[in-house]
Amino acid sequence: MDLVGLLKELLFDYTLRTVALGAGTLGVVSGALGSYAVLRKQSLLGDATSHAALPGIALAFLLTGSKAPPILVLGAAAAGWIATLLMMSIVRTTRIKDDSALGMVLSVFFGFGLVLLTFIQKMPDASQAGLEKFLFGQAATTLERDVMTMIALSALVLVTMVAFWKEFKLLSFDPDFGASLGFPVRLLDVLLTTLIVVAIVLGLQTVGVVLMSAMVVAPAAAARQWTDRLGGMVGLAALFGALAGVSGAMISSSAARLPTGPTIVLCVSAIVLFSLLLAPNRGLLWNWVRHQRNRRRLQMAAVLADLYTLASQHETVEHAHSITVLRAMSAGRGGVEYSLKELAARGLVRQVSPADWALTPEGQEEAERLSK
Amino acid sequence: MPAIEVTDLTVAYQHRPVLWDVDLNVPPGVLMAIVGPNGAGKTTLIKAMLGLVRAAAGQVLIYGRPYAEQRRLVAYVPQRGSVDWDFPTNVLDVVMMGLYGTLGWIRRPGRREQARALEALGKVGMQSFADRQISQLSGGQQQRVFLARALVQDAQVYLMDEPFQGVDATTERAIVQLLQDLRAAGKTVVVVHHDLQTVPEYFDWVTLMNVRRIASGPVAEVFTQQNLRLAYGGRVAFLSRDGYAEEPAPTTDRAAESVAASGEG
């Protein structure tokens, strides 16, 4: 399908429009809130919270017998929230560290959720089918009504985040200092974590409990590569999340049997890969280029110094020397010929014969300047 | 009225006491070091004074009233290593955090706060670094940014946790000068310190700790060989200016006199 056709469908096709809008919204809110999770070294919080939401979904169904998304999402939110608070209090009151507390809570809740899910599937009633879609998400079943709920909740989350911008920044950077100023950091911690839980739960129907943590961590990690400001990071992460959500929804709709949730996660992973490699300053590619450039500059200086050493053993500076000698002097460094050509291009050396090179007067000055 | 008055302060982690029945009485306008071996509870003492760790018992009064009522009078400089310096923000932003308390909820820092933060950065010689990413700072520069964040609070009492840790000699001198300027302005400055050798030179008051308070008072009176032995368990190797001294030799005349006096008395 061509791009124009796809865009047209995005605007006019009800299902695709709904799915893309939902995925985009979840991308914005999980990207923005995920930034805080990443900066506070709670990247795995998303993983624990989303997995822990599963028993909540199952219990909500068992208690109400309803499969209406708002009810199931409410159950998910309650279980995710309880699990997250449990994790925080384990860390605070025992000697158990974050990662272990996280592992414990995640596995216990998720295991319980799977047990409940299996139990539900074995129930004689036929109406139970379809809960397992929360494992990997099923965007196609998203209704416009669901999307409206998502947008409203996302707006609430984002408004709260912006309102407490200064407080959340302080909490993320230096909570002890914040407490010394009189801010109730534990309360702020619970508030911020609650917002993150809401962001995660919003994505469960579309992306599923297993892959949702990627939507929390990946956009934020990618955004961190491009900016050194908190505002920039949060904004960019929201943008990346939206981009991944919408493009994932579009790609999966253009091909048969391509699940939306995993496609969205693949899209966001592509953004992360691109950012890791190509972002200015922090990108691996630019690091490599800088490294190479430095190496070459050092090599050139070394060859120039070698030539200068050789020249100083003769009466005239312009005495030519064989490249073999220079190669021997720079054993292990390599790139002698390349360096000579670069130096010649700058007028610091000249090629006397195919194998012989000599310093120019400028080259001599430069070598003397460098050796000082 | 004392600037800081601590009574019976006790803190325990998992039933192990880290601070035991500590009393402290710091008059206004002194520059005081808290020294003691590792695990002596120096950092915990500061954190307990600020209410950052829960005290099992005891109370802390700042100018005669509980700390919670006197927050505006106190500025805190945590250990440099307690935060992630790769956080996406710049120097000016970090210094402005010192004003978040007076700004209160929701309100954002504006032009006035920026001007005050720049002024504080000027006092630590970092004004030209205002726009610098904090990840690009050296250890000494990080420490000075933290000091500027405390200065901008314009407090009466400054509690600092190892401000000299990992800074070079030049920065250390600059920080000492700053602390002495604060004292000259009538502020009370309490510093967790590690280098015994510089105590008499930098500070006029000292508290020796080892879970309990060993001694507290003017350097000339309490920074004695006997108290150091009590705090450090008798194995203190003390390096004086003239080289390695067998006995802990006080490094200023004032302190020398006092040791002589206490020896005679």
Side-chain angles (χ1 to χ4, degrees):
Chain A
M1 190 184 292
D2 64 319
L3 199 65
V4 178
L6 207 59
L7 282 177
K8 219 177 250 171
E9 230 175 73
L10 185 63
L11 287 177
F12 300 114
D13 181 275
Y14 171 80
T15 311
L16 179 57
R17 195 181 60 204
T18 312
V19 171
L21 198 60
T25 308
L26 103 86
V28 167
V29 70
S30 62
L33 270 303
S35 299
Y36 289 99
V38 167
L39 287 175
R40 301 177 69 209
K41 316 255 181 290
Q42 291 179 326
S43 300
L44 289 172
L45 185 77
D47 218 17
T49 307
S50 58
H51 280 79
L54 192 63
I57 295 168
L59 276 178
F61 171 76
L62 280 175
L63 290 177
T64 64
S66 157
K67 274 196 304 182
I71 290 173
L72 297 186
V73 164
L74 211 64
W81 195 67
I82 289 169
T84 311
L85 291 191
L86 190 65
M87 225 151 50
M88 287 162 72
S89 61
I90 287 177
V91 173
R92 206 169 50 232
T93 55
T94 70
R95 279 159 181 258
I96 296 167
K97 297 265 184 290
D98 303 46
D99 51 348
S100 318
L102 210 130
M104 279 159 49
V105 170
L106 183 152
S107 45
V108 168
F109 272 70
F110 189 58
F112 184 51
L114 285 180
V115 168
L116 286 178
L117 215 57
T118 316
F119 172 73
I120 290 170
Q121 275 163 350
K122 292 212 172 112
M123 287 193 335
D125 187 357
S127 74
Q128 85 310 42
L131 277 190
E132 69 281 357
K133 78 178 182 200
F134 277 96
L135 277 179
F136 294 105
Q138 200 174 55
T141 58
T142 315
L143 301 173
E144 202 168 65
R145 207 180 49 220
D146 304 339
V147 173
M148 286 306 145
T149 316
M150 274 176 82
I151 290 177
L153 277 173
S154 302
L156 190 69
V157 167
L158 292 177
V159 165
T160 314
M161 181 192 80
V162 172
F164 292 102
W165 185 265
K166 162 176 118 253
E167 286 77 10
F168 287 157
K169 186 200 278 188
L170 190 58
L171 174 73
S172 307
F173 177 64
D174 196 347
D176 271 0
F177 184 72
S180 84
L181 294 179
F183 287 102
V185 287
R186 192 166 299 167
L187 210 65
L188 281 170
D189 196 2
V190 170
L191 178 62
L192 181 56
T193 308
T194 305
L195 295 184
I196 297 176
V197 169
V198 173
I200 289 165
V201 169
L202 282 178
L204 289 184
Q205 199 185 351
T206 308
V207 179
V209 297
V210 179
L211 290 174
M212 190 52 208
S213 70
M215 291 306 290
V216 175
V217 178
R224 182 67 187 92
Q225 291 288 108
W226 298 91
T227 172
D228 277 325
R229 299 301 308 244
L230 180 62
M233 180 173 170
V234 170
L236 214 53
L239 184 73
F240 285 160
L243 198 68
V246 173
S247 54
M250 284 166 70
I251 292 169
S252 77
S253 82
S254 66
R257 296 182 181 284
L258 215 52
T260 312
T263 311
I264 293 173
V265 171
L266 282 181
C267 285
V268 80
S269 307
I271 294 175
V272 169
L273 194 66
F274 180 77
S275 306
L276 278 181
L277 289 176
L278 291 177
N281 294 326
R282 285 175 169 251
L284 294 176
L285 185 69
W286 304 128
N287 267 341
W288 185 79
V289 167
R290 264 197 300 275
H291 183 75
Q292 289 298 315
R293 204 180 288 153
N294 264 337
R295 223 180 74 172
R296 236 175 256 146
R297 221 183 17 241
L298 285 174
Q299 262 171 11
M300 268 165 54
V303 169
L304 193 69
D306 288 347
L307 256 181
Y308 182 71
T309 313
L310 289 173
S312 60
Q313 291 160 8
H314 296 268
E315 265 148 42
T316 57
V317 175
E318 311 203 0
H319 191 99
H321 301 277
S322 162
I323 190 167
T324 355
V325 177
L326 289 167
R327 282 214 181 97
M329 289 174 85
S330 67
R333 276 190 264 118
V336 172
E337 191 155 4
Y338 179 87
S339 299
L340 281 170
K341 279 182 182 149
E342 282 283 298
L343 288 167
R346 286 160 207 210
L348 299 176
V349 304
R350 63 195 173 82
Q351 193 166 21
V352 180
S353 74
D356 294 301
W357 296 76
L359 274 179
T360 61
E362 292 81 23
Q364 187 190 7
E365 267 174 43
E366 178 69 11
E368 277 164 2
R369 197 182 61 80
L370 284 175
S371 66
K372 261 175 210 161
Chain B
M1 186 190 299
I4 306 170
E5 194 180 356
V6 175
T7 12
D8 302 337
L9 193 63
T10 299
V11 176
Y13 290 145
Q14 321 276 345
H15 305 297
R16 191 175 54 92
V18 270
L19 272 190
W20 191 254
D21 204 17
V22 170
D23 293 330
L24 213 54
N25 206 316
V26 188
V30 302
L31 178 47
M32 184 179 91
I34 300 179
V35 296
N38 291 332
K42 305 183 292 289
T43 295
T44 308
L45 173 59
I46 287 214
K47 286 193 167 180
M49 280 157 71
L50 291 161
L52 299 179
V53 297
R54 189 178 298 169
Q59 64 168 350
V60 178
L61 300 179
I62 306 291
Y63 282 101
R65 309 187 58 167
Y67 169 71
E69 293 171 26
Q70 303 279 56
R71 270 181 213 289
R72 296 278 179 276
L73 298 183
V74 182
Y76 169 46
V77 180
Q79 281 185 26
R80 182 162 60 83
S82 65
V83 304
D84 175 13
W85 289 93
D86 199 33
F87 195 85
T89 190
N90 64 18
V91 167
L92 188 68
D93 229 27
V94 172
V95 177
M96 280 196 294
M97 285 180 187
L99 296 166
Y100 282 10
T102 46
L103 273 174
W105 290 93
I106 315 286
R107 264 183 65 205
R108 303 280 179 86
R111 236 171 245 288
R112 226 179 47 132
E113 283 73 25
Q114 273 190 16
R116 286 182 63 185
L118 279 172
E119 191 193 338
L121 275 173
K123 284 184 197 158
V124 298
M126 294 270 296
Q127 196 151 24
S128 57
F129 287 83
D131 293 328
R132 188 70 68 91
Q133 283 312 306
I134 59 168
S135 56
Q136 292 166 7
L137 300 177
S138 71
Q141 289 166 344
Q142 291 172 356
Q143 194 62 63
R144 282 190 277 167
V145 169
F146 262 14
L147 283 170
R149 186 176 68 173
L151 289 180
V152 86
Q153 290 180 259
D154 197 21
Q156 292 303 312
V157 175
Y158 290 81
L159 304 178
M160 306 187 177
D161 202 345
E162 302 206 23
F164 299 114
Q165 195 188 40
V167 305
D168 61 24
T170 321
T171 311
E172 180 157 332
R173 269 196 300 279
I175 294 176
V176 169
Q177 186 57 52
L178 201 72
L179 302 188
Q180 287 169 349
D181 289 350
L182 283 172
R183 177 184 52 191
K187 319 282 189 183
T188 310
V189 185
V190 175
V191 175
V192 171
H193 193 54
H194 256 308
D195 184 8
L196 291 178
Q197 191 188 327
T198 51
V199 167
E201 184 187 344
Y202 293 170
F203 301 95
D204 50 7
W205 271 55
V206 65
T207 293
L208 291 110
M209 303 241 340
N210 193 350
V211 182
R212 291 160 188 275
R213 192 207 70 186
I214 307 294
S216 181
V219 171
E221 287 167 27
V222 304
F223 197 62
T224 61
Q225 177 193 334
Q226 191 194 3
N227 282 337
L228 281 167
R229 281 233 173 93
L230 281 172
Y232 286 83
R235 288 188 308 279
V236 58
F238 201 72
L239 202 62
S240 81
R241 281 251 180 75
D242 317 316
Y244 199 77
E246 250 176 65
E247 296 283 283
T251 49
T252 66
D253 294 336
R254 211 161 46 131
E257 281 162 22
S258 97
V259 168
S262 67
E264 285 158 16

